[in-house]
Amino acid sequence: MKEQVCWDEYIGLSFPVEGEMEDLREGRKHMGSQMIHHSIFIIISCPVGLLVGTLDVVLDSSARVAPYRILYQAPDSLVYWTIACGCSRKEITEHWEWLEQNLLQTLSIFENENDINTFVRGKIQGIIAEYNKINGIKEDDDTEKFKEAIVKFHKLFGMPEEEKLVNYYSCSYWKGKVPRQGWMYLSINHLCFYSFLMGREAKLVIRWVDITQLEKNATLLFPDMIKVNTRSSEHFFSVFLNISETFKLMEQLANIAMRQLLDNEGFEQDRSLPKLKKKSPKKVSALKRDLDARAKSERYRALFRLPKDEKLDGHTDCTLWTPFNKMHILGQMFVSTNYICFTSKEENLCSLIIPLREVTIVEKADSSSVLPSPLSISTKNRMTFLFANLKDRDFLVQRISDFLQQTTSKIYLEKDISGSCISSDDEVFTRPNSIISASPHKSLSSESDGERQFNLNGNGIPTATQALMTMYRRRSPEEFNPKLAKEFLKEQAWKIHFAEYGQGVCMYRTEKTRDLVLKGIPESMRGELWLLLSGAINEMATHPGYYEDLVEKSMGKYNLATEEIERDLHRSLPEHPAFQNEMGIAALRRVLTAYAFRNPNIGYCQAMNIVTSVLLLYAKEEEAFWLLVALCERMLPDYYNTRVVGALVDQGVFEELARDYVPQLYDCMQDLGVISTISLSWFLTLFLSVMPFESAVVVVDCFFCEGIKVIFQLALAVLDANVDKLLNCKDDGEAMTVLGRYLDSVTNKDSTLPPIPHLHSLLSDDVEPYPEVDIFRLIRSSYEKFGSIRADLIEQMRFKQRLKVIQTLEDTTKRNVVRTIVTETSFTIDELEELYALFKAEHLTSCYWGGNSNAIDRHDPSLPYLEQYRIDFEQFKGMFALLFPWACGTHSDVLAARLFRLLDENGDLLINFREFVSGQSQLRFKSCSCKHSINFFMPVTVIPKEWCIALGKGSQYSALRSEDVMTSWCASLWYCVYQQECVCQDLVFPPHVV
């Protein structure tokens, strides 16, 4: 509807505060106008009516982004430009005046309307550019549509600018039995929903850190529905246009929040993403692209066991020529900063990892009808890989060229720093249509046995320069000759495999490789293959000298981690001769201590000593260190932190798998409480603490090859093999005895090692010995019965369990804190729990949106939970306004500052929860008769005029309220707040105040 209006009679339209002017946005509007100068229209509009407001929300109209706007229109044009938008008449009045003074008067000097258009647009854009420059705002890739959504998000939910919107989706929110159609907004820290239907507004704000359950449900009415649970409520959303994309993003944001609860680290956006293409989707934000890139990189790293800082650049369909079967295998090529990888479409058929440090030649081969767009890549170990059917070969070659140049530069820089020279074998050649690069470093697989040795001990203790097993392997007597023959055949099988599929990091990895691993890795090759299969070889090759430097820096340093390490050193495989002398013990000490200094968030955890001691038996010290890094940081994430979160998560996953695969046993095991007990000991040590050593190392072989799914499969196979006996158990002790005796009977008849006594075998009873169980048969059975378990399924189940585990740990921590401090305060347990939740939320908010102090200073995990989290004054000021409703006057900041100084007992400008609660408890006057929860709904009174004079503030406070008498509680509060400053200023309180 079009209507002529004049400015003085128009209601409610506004111009934004200076600096909030938006970019000029084109849009066709039908609304009133007023002629100002030279046929230039300043158009003022406001959507009115319930129907319009409802359509704005349902149809995502930009009208609700800026309900009051000033638009610019040239004569005879249907195109309008938004000059400004706002929310109140006061704002529009101020800035309309600004327009008249700074813009409209200048228009009279122009005669050409095109010049007027250019001037107006240039003027507004100049103001925006100047504002961005002053405030440090950088250009981003967000589309105009998404920028409108950001403005809407901040206004609707009162979020600060620091809260970044990731994406928004149309959906229905079920409020009771009635669906409310609206928009879901997903930001880094919050899930929000807004609906405006026929005059009724609905808002919902949930912090990701408060979510305890997030899952997709299917109902008869709605096949796709997302359920969101918090500790106190549950919410349902449905009717999504793309529920898979929405749920995947929600999972990712919830994971970020859980990571923050674990590590106390805020989210940092990756600014190195390429610019957004012009044909990109309209609603894709730079932040959404960042999260999508992170998710793809995580899957890429997990698939190829790459270092945790490797970022995927892109992937494309292609074919790979495989010389071992003379076929072109269809698959995908992945390119990242330091690697070129390939995996076949058919699972386990073939995969390939080519580090760019190993590449010597990359060239475009001649195309043919049989081999279109081929690309040849050669490596230093004289292997050549032929890819074909590449859609954009030229672009791909250019990307690889850029990454090769970076890799070569880094390698030469390292050589320059070390003062060594590049040999003639490492020269860089040029060839038409080729990119050639060579690494000055020899690959690990080609190193000679005489590599440099180093002594990491300053006290004269001998240093192990090779795997401990080679030093302490006792020659087998003649009765073991058949086993030696079988071991020899295994070695020959691997050598034949290397000759056919290649050796080293660039080998073709096929199903045959996995089959050889499942049959057992030869003793002499175990260390090398562990490095290769786990990906630790890549981190070791790219960090030369890192372990030596770390050991040197950590020598002689003492902390809680080193104390725990010293206590457990002699408990690590004490039955093995390698750890019955100081050489083995010293090597174990160095590796564990070096890792504790590398990763102080983990430091040291029990069970790490057992795993590391086994790694040292088959790998050199530096190799064992990098295997431990791969284990703790990639393959068993969060397993070895102070709360063993990863192991608890996988314990929940194991319970779910047990319910699905051995349902007849699940209820019994739950009643006995056995699953939680066995899973921690089995998973944390990879069965090394519950199986005979020669059998457990076979499990470690399979783990480095296949990952955590092997451990789940094997655990289920053990339960399945003991179903009948477990069903007859009457208590958890009997069930544990059954499982312990079974695992102790697992043997490796192919092992050439002399039998090593196992801990379980020392627990003798009068029962008949358990029949022997062959480890290879057990592993084969686990694949036959439970091989359908996929890695992606495990990750989905891990996400579900991670929410539950971390929130349970948070609740346990809260209860422990409250139980510790409840006797020191006058608060009830419920009040303390609410205070703790508020305090923790304020701390997390500082991590979200930053603060005046460093986040690391505000959180010290080495302290007791009562003192771990600390807040600075800015955070306390927000809590002060929440907890004291009477602190809303003009001087509330002064009161907050003085109260903060009073609570800050140690003067470090931070207060912990103990200080916070102690101060709150003191301020709560015991004789107060109106004690209503922690919000202190006390009579709002102000100090009388004569008291203000005594405080040195004149009569400024008396004007706030005409009350002449304060309650005793408020008088006590004022005395506490001003006590310190009054002493400093020699002020004297009237007797009735004191």
Side-chain angles (χ1 to χ4, degrees):
M1 180 177 180
K2 200 166 184 178
E3 181 181 6
Q4 293 292 331
V5 295
C6 65
W7 172 249
D8 292 335
E9 297 175 352
Y10 202 81
I11 55 172
L13 294 183
S14 67
F15 196 81
V17 294
E18 188 169 357
E20 292 183 351
M21 299 180 180
E22 296 180 335
D23 290 331
L24 300 172
R25 297 190 298 272
E26 294 186 359
R28 300 179 183 274
K29 311 292 177 183
H30 299 282
M31 53 197 68
S33 60
Q34 178 184 11
M35 186 175 294
I36 305 297
H37 288 286
H38 291 277
S39 300
I40 302 300
F41 290 86
I42 299 295
I43 298 164
I44 308 165
S45 69
C46 177
V48 293
L50 300 181
L51 180 59
V52 175
T54 300
L55 292 176
D56 286 338
V57 173
V58 175
L59 301 179
D60 190 28
S61 170
S62 61
R64 288 202 56 86
V65 175
Y68 313 118
R69 291 164 294 163
I70 296 180
L71 308 179
Y72 168 79
Q73 181 193 31
D76 302 325
S77 174
L78 296 177
V79 178
Y80 296 75
W81 288 277
T82 301
I83 291 182
C85 63
C87 302
S88 68
R89 185 185 182 94
K90 181 180 179 181
E91 287 179 331
I92 195 68
T93 303
E94 292 175 356
H95 295 286
W96 179 264
E97 293 174 354
W98 185 93
L99 269 180
E100 289 181 324
Q101 295 174 6
N102 295 276
L103 184 65
L104 299 183
Q105 295 179 0
T106 313
L107 299 183
S108 59
I109 66 175
F110 296 100
E111 297 182 359
N112 187 300
E113 292 182 354
N114 290 332
D115 293 339
I116 295 176
N117 292 340
T118 303
F119 172 77
V120 172
R121 297 181 64 180
K123 181 73 173 179
I124 301 300
Q125 288 175 339
I127 294 172
I128 296 171
E130 183 65 23
Y131 174 80
N132 291 344
K133 181 180 179 181
I134 294 174
N135 292 273
I137 299 177
K138 297 180 179 179
E139 291 293 326
D140 54 38
D141 292 327
D142 291 343
T143 61
E144 296 297 328
K145 183 74 172 177
F146 194 81
K147 289 179 182 178
E148 291 180 355
I150 292 174
V151 174
K152 184 176 182 179
F153 167 70
H154 287 152
K155 288 183 179 180
L156 286 176
F157 304 103
M159 296 290 177
E161 292 185 4
E162 291 82 2
E163 181 65 7
K164 303 299 183 183
L165 179 66
V166 180
N167 213 350
Y168 62 105
Y169 301 94
S170 174
C171 68
S172 288
Y173 170 57
W174 288 81
K175 192 172 184 180
K177 296 183 179 180
V178 180
R180 302 295 300 269
Q181 182 66 30
W183 292 86
M184 175 188 287
Y185 295 85
L186 304 180
S187 67
I188 289 297
N189 307 298
H190 297 88
L191 182 160
C192 303
F193 176 84
Y194 179 80
S195 173
F196 182 85
L197 294 176
M198 304 307 297
R200 299 189 64 181
E201 190 177 55
K203 286 185 183 181
L204 176 69
V205 178
I206 303 174
R207 294 190 311 162
W208 292 114
V209 293
D210 293 332
I211 292 178
T212 58
Q213 186 178 6
L214 180 64
E215 60 182 19
K216 280 195 297 186
N217 288 336
T219 63
L220 184 62
L221 184 60
F222 293 101
D224 290 320
M225 177 178 284
I226 294 178
K227 177 183 177 183
V228 179
N229 281 9
T230 65
R231 291 177 176 84
S232 58
S233 60
E234 66 178 13
H235 310 274
F236 295 91
F237 302 89
S238 61
V239 196
F240 290 91
L241 296 177
N242 189 340
I243 191 170
S244 297
E245 176 189 333
T246 307
F247 186 72
K248 188 180 297 183
L249 179 57
M250 293 172 73
E251 279 187 323
Q252 194 172 9
L253 292 170
N255 259 326
I256 291 173
M258 295 304 104
R259 175 57 54 189
Q260 186 181 48
L261 286 176
L262 276 179
D263 298 340
N264 200 57
E265 294 179 356
F267 175 83
E268 293 186 5
Q269 184 176 352
D270 185 1
R271 300 289 183 179
S272 61
L273 292 173
K275 291 292 182 181
L276 189 66
K277 296 180 181 179
K278 293 183 179 180
K279 296 184 179 181
S280 297
K282 293 183 179 180
K283 290 199 302 181
V284 175
S285 66
L287 197 52
K288 174 68 165 58
R289 292 169 55 228
D290 179 11
L291 292 175
D292 288 343
R294 291 182 187 219
K296 291 178 181 179
S297 293
E298 287 176 6
R299 291 193 294 269
Y300 168 63
R301 291 192 296 266
L303 181 61
F304 298 105
R305 307 278 173 82
L306 299 178
K308 62 180 182 179
D309 57 349
E310 191 68 17
K311 294 181 181 180
L312 177 65
D313 186 71
H315 59 87
T316 183
D317 292 336
C318 67
T319 58
L320 172 66
W321 170 254
T322 50
F324 52 86
N325 60 2
K326 295 180 172 54
M327 291 177 59
H328 291 281
I329 297 179
L330 180 63
Q332 281 190 321
M333 173 192 285
F334 299 81
V335 178
S336 60
T337 312
N338 300 293
Y339 299 89
I340 301 172
C341 301
F342 173 87
T343 186
S344 58
K345 293 284 188 181
E346 183 180 343
E347 190 176 8
N348 295 327
L349 183 59
C350 180
S351 65
L352 189 64
I353 302 172
I354 308 174
L356 293 183
R357 65 179 184 274
E358 298 292 330
V359 173
T360 56
I361 301 173
V362 177
E363 59 182 343
K364 294 182 287 186
D366 296 333
S367 296
S368 65
S369 57
V370 179
L371 204 64
S373 302
L375 179 66
S376 173
I377 299 177
S378 300
T379 61
K380 292 189 296 183
N381 59 353
R382 295 182 174 82
M383 293 184 69
T384 300
F385 305 96
L386 186 62
F387 300 90
N389 292 283
L390 294 164
K391 293 181 180 179
D392 196 346
R393 184 177 60 169
D394 293 338
F395 174 77
L396 180 64
V397 168
Q398 183 59 48
R399 294 301 293 167
I400 297 176
S401 171
D402 296 339
F403 292 140
L404 273 173
Q405 290 177 0
Q406 296 174 16
T407 303
T408 306
S409 300
K410 285 189 292 187
I411 292 173
Y412 287 161
L413 180 61
E414 291 173 1
K415 294 297 289 183
D416 291 341
I417 292 175
S418 62
S420 57
C421 301
I422 302 175
S423 65
S424 58
D425 295 334
D426 297 321
E427 293 177 0
V428 178
F429 302 90
T430 57
R431 188 179 298 172
N433 290 330
S434 69
I435 306 163
I436 304 152
S437 172
S439 169
H441 296 293
K442 301 290 184 182
S443 64
L444 186 67
S445 59
S446 64
E447 287 180 356
S448 64
D449 294 335
E451 66 178 12
R452 65 192 180 97
Q453 302 175 357
F454 49 88
N455 191 322
L456 299 174
N457 294 277
N459 53 7
I461 298 175
T463 302
T465 56
Q466 54 187 325
L468 296 179
M469 187 64 78
T470 61
M471 302 174 64
Y472 290 96
R473 182 184 298 164
R474 290 174 286 186
R475 294 298 176 185
S476 302
E478 293 184 1
E479 59 264 31
F480 289 127
N481 279 342
K483 295 184 178 181
L484 288 175
K486 199 165 187 177
E487 183 79 0
F488 175 77
L489 291 177
K490 284 184 180 180
E491 293 178 359
Q492 293 303 309
W494 275 100
K495 289 179 180 178
I496 294 172
H497 182 80
F498 290 148
E500 187 175 359
Y501 295 89
Q503 185 173 5
V505 68
C506 297
M507 66 183 288
Y508 293 97
R509 303 165 193 237
T510 66
E511 195 168 1
K512 187 175 180 180
T513 309
R514 189 194 70 176
D515 292 341
L516 284 175
V517 172
L518 298 185
K519 293 177 182 177
I521 297 177
E523 295 282 332
S524 60
M525 297 181 174
R526 185 161 274 142
E528 178 186 353
L529 286 171
W530 282 0
L531 282 170
L532 189 65
L533 297 172
S534 67
I537 187 173
N538 293 313
E539 289 164 305
M540 180 176 171
T542 54
H543 294 82
Y546 177 85
Y547 175 68
E548 301 168 67
D549 295 339
L550 204 57
V551 170
E552 185 177 353
K553 292 177 182 177
S554 63
M555 291 289 287
K557 303 289 180 62
Y558 297 96
N559 53 30
L560 181 60
T562 58
E563 291 178 8
E564 293 177 348
I565 289 171
E566 289 298 326
R567 186 169 60 246
D568 288 347
L569 282 177
H570 295 278
R571 304 175 187 172
S572 311
L573 292 186
E575 66 274 11
H576 198 284
F579 298 99
Q580 294 172 357
N581 61 77
E582 190 56 35
M583 179 176 287
I585 295 295
L588 181 61
R589 177 187 293 113
R590 287 190 294 271
V591 174
L592 290 174
T593 304
Y595 185 78
F597 275 81
R598 166 189 166 86
N599 192 342
N601 289 332
I602 292 179
Y604 171 76
C605 174
Q606 285 186 342
M608 288 175 66
N609 59 320
I610 297 175
V611 175
T612 307
S613 60
V614 175
L615 299 178
L616 280 167
L617 290 176
Y618 293 100
K620 302 169 188 177
E621 273 190 39
E622 185 177 10
E623 295 170 348
F625 170 79
W626 288 111
L627 283 169
L628 184 62
V629 169
L631 202 71
C632 296
E633 299 177 9
R634 290 191 288 106
M635 303 189 73
L636 294 176
D638 301 320
Y639 257 58
Y640 300 106
N641 57 26
T642 54
R643 297 190 283 182
V644 293
V645 172
L648 292 174
V649 168
D650 281 352
Q651 172 185 306
V653 173
F654 182 52
E655 290 184 10
E656 283 196 59
L657 292 173
R659 182 184 59 205
D660 295 339
Y661 287 93
V662 283
Q664 71 277 23
L665 188 61
Y666 177 75
D667 292 336
C668 172
M669 297 293 284
Q670 285 293 96
D671 294 338
L672 295 176
V674 174
I675 291 183
S676 60
T677 305
I678 61 176
S679 57
L680 277 179
S681 59
W682 293 2
F683 287 23
L684 276 172
T685 63
L686 304 177
F687 285 92
L688 288 167
S689 64
V690 295
M691 270 189 192
F693 172 78
E694 61 274 11
S695 302
V697 291
V698 179
V699 177
V700 179
D701 293 343
C702 300
F703 169 76
F704 279 129
C705 179
E706 291 276 86
I708 192 63
K709 64 167 288 187
V710 171
I711 307 300
F712 285 118
Q713 291 176 187
L714 194 61
L716 291 171
V718 171
L719 294 184
D720 183 67
N722 292 275
V723 168
D724 296 335
K725 293 184 179 180
L726 290 172
L727 288 175
N728 294 325
C729 291
K730 299 178 181 178
D731 54 43
D732 58 341
E734 186 177 353
M736 291 301 298
T737 301
V738 168
L739 293 172
R741 293 182 66 245
Y742 177 85
L743 290 170
D744 192 52
S745 68
V746 178
T747 60
N748 180 2
K749 296 181 180 180
D750 295 346
S751 176
T752 59
L753 300 175
I756 300 175
H758 188 253
L759 181 61
H760 283 177
S761 65
L762 302 177
L763 304 175
S764 59
D765 51 33
D766 298 332
V767 184
E768 294 182 9
Y770 204 99
E772 289 186 352
V773 179
D774 183 68
I775 181 62
F776 298 107
R777 185 175 300 172
L778 178 62
I779 291 175
R780 188 162 55 250
S781 173
S782 73
Y783 271 88
E784 292 171 355
K785 295 181 178 180
F786 312 109
S788 59
I789 299 174
R790 297 171 53 89
D792 56 351
L793 172 65
I794 292 175
E795 287 305 316
Q796 292 176 10
M797 298 172 75
R798 274 178 166 176
F799 166 75
K800 179 180 177 181
Q801 294 298 327
R802 189 177 294 113
L803 289 177
K804 185 185 301 183
V805 166
I806 293 179
Q807 298 294 13
T808 300
L809 290 173
E810 289 294 309
D811 291 341
T812 302
T813 299
K814 180 173 65 177
R815 286 193 297 269
N816 292 338
V817 168
V818 169
R819 192 180 300 116
T820 302
I821 202 172
V822 68
T823 58
E824 305 176 13
T825 71
S826 59
F827 291 112
T828 66
I829 291 178
D830 291 340
E831 290 173 339
L832 283 173
E833 288 184 350
E834 290 184 38
L835 277 173
Y836 180 83
L838 181 64
F839 191 89
K840 181 73 177 290
E842 194 64 37
H843 169 79
L844 292 175
T845 300
S846 69
C847 297
Y848 299 163
W849 302 327
N852 294 334
S853 55
N854 193 328
I856 298 177
D857 297 334
R858 294 194 299 267
H859 179 248
D860 186 353
S862 64
L863 296 174
Y865 284 115
L866 274 170
E867 303 174 9
Q868 275 193 14
Y869 298 102
R870 291 171 286 187
I871 59 175
D872 57 24
F873 171 67
E874 289 299 322
Q875 299 163 288
F876 174 78
K877 191 164 61 175
M879 297 182 66
F880 180 77
L882 289 175
L883 293 175
F884 302 96
W886 42 264
C888 57
T890 56
H891 304 283
S892 60
D893 288 353
V894 178
L895 288 175
R898 295 179 179 182
L899 182 56
F900 181 82
R901 288 197 295 270
L902 179 67
L903 300 181
D904 185 13
E905 297 177 359
N906 57 4
D908 62 352
L909 301 181
L910 297 170
I911 59 174
N912 57 42
F913 185 66
R914 181 188 291 276
E915 293 172 335
F916 176 74
V917 171
S918 176
Q920 295 289 339
S921 182
Q922 293 176 18
L923 294 178
R924 185 174 188 174
F925 195 69
K926 294 182 180 179
S927 64
C928 177
S929 59
C930 46
K931 186 181 347 180
H932 293 124
S933 78
I934 61 171
N935 287 323
F936 303 114
F937 294 132
M938 305 299 297
V940 182
T941 56
V942 179
I943 201 162
K945 184 184 297 184
E946 61 272 18
W947 297 3
C948 295
I949 296 173
L951 291 172
K953 298 300 178 183
S955 59
Q956 56 185 341
Y957 291 102
S958 61
L960 296 176
R961 187 80 175 261
S962 59
E963 309 272 355
D964 291 330
V965 180
M966 296 181 66
T967 63
S968 59
W969 185 86
C970 285
S972 175
L973 170 66
W974 277 87
Y975 174 70
C976 291
V977 171
Y978 282 99
Q979 185 179 19
Q980 290 179 322
E981 290 210 5
C982 289
V983 171
C984 296
Q985 298 176 8
D986 294 324
L987 297 177
V988 180
F989 278 91
H992 56 281
V993 178
V994 179

